[in-house]
Amino acid sequence: MLALLHRDLLLAARRPADALGPLVFFALVACLFPLAIGPDPALLAVLGPGVIWVAALLAMLDQAYGLRPEAHRWEVLPEDFHARIELPGRVDHAPALLLGARPLLMRLCGWLAARHAGATGVTLHWVHDSMRAKDAGDGGSLTIRTAEPIRALEHFCRLMAEHLAKTKLLAPVGELRLEAIGVQALTEDSASLLPDTVRTGETLYLTLERIAARLGPERVMQPAPGDDHRLEWMTRWQPATDGQRAGASGTGRRRLAARPAPSMPEPGFLLEPPLRLALREHRPHYQGALTLLVGPDRIEGGWWDRLPARAPADAAAGTGTGAGAGAGAGARDQTAPPFTALVPQDDAAMVAVGHRNVVRDYWIAVNDNAGVVAIFRQQLDDGGSAWFLHGVYA
C-alpha cells in the first residue's frame, strides 16, 4: 500500500490535473457513505476501513483501463555481473557442474542483453563442501575466454562443457559463482524489412573456439600475414583464437590495407628448404631447362632477425658440414608432425652468422614439365652463385 501511495504521489506531482479526479472521487465516497448508512459510530468503525480501501481501489480503475498514466520504478542494472547458486546436492565430477552453471549463464546473457553488451569471457568459481579433505582447499575456478564479445548462451555452455570435461575436482562442490570478464558494448545489426537468409549452424570462429577448447589452443592454428618481404616469413602461424581477436580489433585489416602490392606475383606454394638447381650451359634446370620470364626482383634484408641463443651442444651440431649441418641448423624436432613446423628452417649459413639475412634475385621461370615456378639466384660464400627453386605457382 505504501508503494502504491508513493507511486500516486509521484504521478500527482508530475501531472496535478490528472490526480484531481481520483482525489475528488475518493473524498466524495468518504463523505457520502456515512450519510447513506447513518451516523452510528459503532457501525462506521466496522465498515469505515473497508469502504476507504474500496474507494481507493475504485479511484485507480482509470489506471487499470489505461486512461491514466502508470509510473514504474526504473530498474538500474549493476555495473558488474556476479551471481551465485547453491547446488541441490554435492557434485563430485566437474562435467556435472554444467547443470548448475547453465542457469547462471542464462542470467548473464539476460544482463548482457539489457546492457546491449557482450562479454569476452566468464569465470566460474566453485566452493568445496564443508566435508572435505584439508589439502583440497576452499574451492577452484575456471576462466573461459572468447575471440570477441558475445552473449550467446549455447556457445558459452559448449565452451564450458569442453573445459569442464578436462577439469578434475579435488573435493565435492556445493556452491557456484559466476562473473563476467571483458564486458563491452555491442553494435546491434539493423533488422531488414525484407526476408533475410536463414543462417544454420554456428559461425567459423565459434567452431574454431570450440575445437580449440577440446584439443588445446596450440593445436588449432591459422596463417596470418607478417610484416616481412622475405617469402618464407610473409606468413606466420598463430593460434586461431589469437587471429580472431586481431580481426575483431581491426589490426589485421589495417595491416593488409597498408601492405604495398608486390613487384612480381608471389608463388602459392613454397619449398622448404629451397631446392638447389643444376646448371647446364649457364641455365638452371628443373625437369628440363627453365626459361626466365620476369625478373630480377631483389629481396635483401633480415639482418634484424636474430637467431635465438642455443646451448653449446646445439651450436656444435649446427656448425657441422654436410647433412649433419642441415639437420642441426633447422633446430627442429624431426619426429614432430609436419603441420607443427610453424617457422621456416634455418640453414647452416644463417646459423653461422647468427641472423636470417638474405640477398636474393628472384625470377619467374617456366618449362613444359614443371610449369611456372619461382627461382632465385644467391651468392655463395666461395664467391660463386647458385640457383634455387623456392616456389610453385598454382
Side-chain angles (χ1 to χ4, degrees):
M1 185 63 183
L2 294 178
L4 294 177
L5 181 60
H6 182 263
R7 183 189 63 182
D8 290 338
L9 291 177
L10 289 178
L11 288 176
R14 294 175 183 175
R15 303 180 67 177
D18 294 339
L20 183 60
L23 291 177
V24 172
F25 174 79
F26 180 79
L28 289 177
V29 171
C31 295
L32 296 178
F33 184 77
L35 300 178
I37 65 173
D40 187 3
L43 184 60
L44 291 177
V46 174
L47 300 179
V51 172
I52 293 176
W53 279 99
V54 172
L57 292 177
L58 291 176
M60 292 187 293
L61 284 179
D62 289 344
Q63 291 182 350
Y65 284 102
L67 301 178
R68 292 180 55 217
E70 187 174 358
H72 297 277
R73 186 179 59 182
W74 186 262
E75 293 292 338
V76 179
L77 298 175
E79 294 296 329
D80 301 323
F81 179 83
H82 298 278
R84 61 178 294 274
I85 186 174
E86 292 186 5
L87 300 178
R90 299 186 353 162
V91 177
D92 299 323
H93 302 284
L97 295 178
L98 184 62
L99 296 177
R102 185 179 180 88
L104 297 179
L105 292 173
M106 293 177 63
R107 294 170 58 182
L108 170 64
C109 293
W111 178 80
L112 292 174
R115 295 182 62 90
H116 302 283
T120 59
V122 294
T123 299
L124 179 68
H125 303 271
W126 57 82
V127 180
H128 290 155
D129 190 75
S130 57
M131 304 297 294
R132 63 177 185 272
K134 295 182 179 180
D135 57 349
D138 295 334
S141 62
L142 174 64
T143 300
I144 299 174
R145 296 189 177 274
T146 60
E148 63 181 21
I150 61 171
R151 58 170 180 261
L153 172 62
E154 294 301 327
H155 185 60
F156 276 132
C157 291
R158 290 174 182 175
L159 290 181
M160 187 75 68
E162 297 291 348
H163 284 80
L164 289 176
K166 299 183 294 183
T167 304
K168 183 179 180 180
L169 298 179
L170 301 179
V173 175
E175 180 182 335
L176 295 178
R177 297 197 307 270
L178 186 71
E179 61 177 319
I181 300 176
V183 178
Q184 303 177 16
L186 287 182
T187 303
E188 303 290 344
D189 296 334
S190 299
S192 175
L193 297 177
L194 301 177
D196 294 334
T197 302
V198 179
R199 297 181 179 179
T200 58
E202 56 186 9
T203 60
L204 176 60
Y205 91 92
L206 294 180
T207 304
L208 293 178
E209 281 188 351
R210 188 158 50 87
I211 297 175
R214 177 176 301 179
L215 304 179
E218 70 281 355
R219 293 186 175 273
V220 183
M221 314 296 291
Q222 70 174 8
D227 296 327
D228 209 315
H229 54 275
R230 296 168 296 174
L231 292 184
E232 61 268 43
W233 291 98
M234 282 184 175
T235 302
R236 304 189 182 188
W237 290 88
Q238 65 181 11
T241 53
D242 294 347
Q244 292 293 340
R245 295 189 183 98
S249 61
T251 55
R253 288 188 291 269
R254 286 194 298 268
R255 180 185 302 159
L256 291 176
R259 181 179 175 183
S263 57
M264 60 185 298
E266 299 172 355
F269 302 92
L270 294 180
L271 278 71
E272 186 190 348
L275 177 64
R276 184 167 180 174
L277 303 178
L279 283 178
R280 298 175 185 175
E281 298 179 357
H282 305 286
R283 294 182 61 185
H285 280 63
Y286 177 69
Q287 300 180 7
L290 292 172
T291 301
L292 304 181
L293 297 180
V294 180
D297 182 26
R298 170 62 62 94
I299 300 296
E300 181 177 0
W303 54 267
W304 60 86
D305 193 359
R306 298 290 178 177
L307 293 175
R310 298 185 299 162
D314 297 337
T319 55
T321 58
R332 176 180 301 166
D333 185 6
Q334 300 298 328
T335 63
F339 64 85
T340 61
L342 303 182
V343 296
Q345 190 172 357
D346 302 323
D347 56 25
M350 292 181 180
V351 174
V353 298
H355 54 75
R356 299 187 178 98
N357 186 48
V358 297
V359 180
R360 300 168 179 172
D361 291 325
Y362 278 87
W363 294 76
I364 297 179
V366 65
N367 65 16
D368 295 336
N369 297 324
V372 183
V373 296
I375 63 176
F376 67 85
R377 182 170 58 185
Q378 183 175 347
Q379 296 293 326
L380 303 179
D381 295 337
D382 57 5
S385 63
W387 289 87
F388 295 85
L389 174 66
H390 200 189
V392 178
Y393 291 91

